[in-house]
Amino acid sequence: KGADRGASTLSPRPFQGLIECLQNADDLGASNMHIAYIDKPCPELLIVHDGAPVTLANVGAMLLPWLSTKNGDANAAGRFGIGQRTLGALGGPIALHAPPFHFVMGEDGPVSVEPYCDVDGVYQAGRRNTMLVIPLVQTVTGEKVVEAVRELEVDSLIFLRSIRTLHFHHLNDPSKDLIFAIKVTPRRNGWIEFDDGAAEVEISDVEVVLPADRAQSYRRYSTWRTIRSGEKRSNKATGACTPIGVCVPMNASPQPLRLYDRMPLPVLTGLPIGLNAQFDPDAARSTLL
C-alpha cells in the first residue's frame, strides 16, 4: 500500500500518467490511443489503446508497484513499473477492462467488476482493446484534462514506433474533441560515420496530418550506435546498440522541440530540432540522471 501511494504522488506533474500510458501503448504496438472524459454523476477518464492484448503476466505487474515486465527489454521504454500507477494522482481506484480481464486495482488486491459497456468511437470490447477507467477527484475538471492533452500536442508522436493518432473525446461536449495525427513516409536510407565505422541511417518524412491548421512537416533521421564496453543504462537492460534520432522541421518558424526517450521529456533545449536517445530519466521522468 505504501509503494502504491508513493507511486501515485511521485511526479510533480499530475497528468504524467497520460505520457506513461502513451509509452505503454507504443511498447505494445498500438497505432491509436484514445483519451475520453465523461461527466457522469462521478466524472471519469477513459484511456484506451489497440495494442497487444493484456496477458496474465501484465496483470500481475499492473497490480504490484515497482514491478516491471519491461526492465529486461532494452528496446521497451518502460522500466520502473509505476507508470500507470501515476494515474492515481488523478483519482481512483483504477479499473482495467481488457477482455477477458475486468477488475479494479484495490488496495487489497484485484476486485472483479462487470465488463464496461462499449463507448462509440472510443472502446470496443470485441476488439480486445485495453481500457483504463479512472474515477476523477473533484479538482480534476474537464477543462484541465483538455489542457493536459493539448500540452501533449502532435509533437509527442514524432519519435514513437507505432502510434500515429492520439484522440481526445469530451463525451459531454464534442466541440472540445481533439485529434493529433501524423503520417510517416520512409525515404531512401543514408550513412553516418562514427569513430568505429559507418552506420546506416533511416530517413523518414513526418507530416502533421491533424490538426489541419498545423501544416508542419519534419525530416527524421534515426540510427543505432554501438555501445562501448562497460557502458550501462540505469535500472534497465543494455543492448549491444542504442538508438539515436534527430528530427528537423522542414517549415519556417517552428516551435522549439524537446528531448525524447521516444516519449517527450519535460526538458527543453531551446533548439528547433528534436533529439531522441535512450536517456536515463529519474523515476518521475521529470529530469535526466
Side-chain angles (χ1 to χ4, degrees):
K1 292 179 183 179
D4 192 45
R5 287 193 292 267
S8 66
T9 59
L10 184 67
S11 175
R13 301 181 307 284
F15 285 94
Q16 172 65 19
L18 298 184
I19 294 179
E20 301 289 347
C21 288
L22 197 63
Q23 165 249 296
N24 185 62
D26 195 60
D27 279 344
L28 294 172
S31 58
N32 299 280
M33 191 171 98
H34 296 261
I35 301 171
Y37 172 83
I38 182 167
D39 188 4
K40 303 171 76 173
C42 296
E44 290 181 339
L45 190 67
L46 315 179
I47 302 175
V48 184
H49 71 75
D50 61 354
V54 169
T55 68
L56 188 58
N58 301 140
V59 170
M62 288 177 187
L63 293 170
L64 295 173
W66 304 107
L67 173 65
S68 175
T69 59
K70 301 177 184 177
N71 54 8
D73 182 352
N75 294 320
R79 70 171 76 191
F80 296 111
I82 53 114
Q84 291 180 339
R85 309 301 276 201
T86 59
L87 291 168
L90 304 177
I94 299 171
L96 174 86
H97 295 275
F101 304 105
H102 302 276
F103 62 88
V104 169
M105 304 178 197
E107 280 195 348
D108 297 314
V111 179
S112 179
V113 294
E114 290 297 316
Y116 206 94
C117 295
D118 286 0
V119 180
D120 188 35
V122 179
Y123 171 71
Q124 289 184 278
R127 294 183 178 178
R128 293 198 70 188
N129 291 343
T130 298
M131 178 168 69
L132 295 173
V133 179
I134 305 99
L136 298 173
V137 297
Q138 191 173 9
T139 54
V140 179
T141 62
E143 289 71 23
K144 288 183 178 180
V145 175
V146 172
E147 181 182 352
V149 177
R150 284 190 185 279
E151 287 181 4
L152 282 177
E153 249 285 359
V154 71
D155 295 340
S156 65
L157 307 177
I158 287 175
F159 285 106
L160 296 183
R161 293 189 300 196
S162 62
I163 293 183
R164 297 292 177 259
T165 308
L166 173 64
H167 302 255
F168 171 72
H169 310 260
H170 195 301
L171 298 178
N172 299 101
D173 185 357
S175 68
K176 296 179 180 178
D177 288 2
L178 300 168
I179 305 180
F180 300 114
I182 61 172
K183 178 183 177 182
V184 179
T185 305
R187 299 173 59 87
R188 63 181 180 83
N189 288 359
W191 293 87
I192 186 170
E193 291 286 341
F194 290 119
D195 56 6
D196 56 356
E200 192 170 17
V201 179
E202 297 177 3
I203 305 174
S204 301
D205 286 338
V206 180
E207 178 187 359
V208 174
V209 178
L210 295 169
D213 60 355
R214 174 81 184 277
Q216 185 70 49
S217 62
Y218 303 90
R219 186 149 297 159
R220 189 180 69 191
Y221 303 85
S222 303
T223 189
W224 290 80
R225 183 81 168 94
T226 301
I227 295 179
R228 294 183 176 90
S229 176
E231 290 186 340
K232 299 292 182 183
R233 299 174 69 188
S234 174
N235 303 306
K236 184 71 174 176
T238 305
C241 300
T242 187
I244 299 173
V246 177
C247 182
V248 181
M250 304 300 288
N251 308 55
S253 303
Q255 63 186 34
L257 295 177
R258 293 172 273 190
L259 292 185
Y260 295 78
D261 182 356
R262 282 204 355 249
M263 254 35 62
L265 295 166
V267 180
L268 291 173
T269 64
L271 300 173
I273 62 173
L275 304 173
N276 179 61
Q278 288 180 328
F279 294 105
D280 279 331
D282 65 341
R285 297 185 188 271
S286 59
T287 188
L288 304 182
L289 301 179

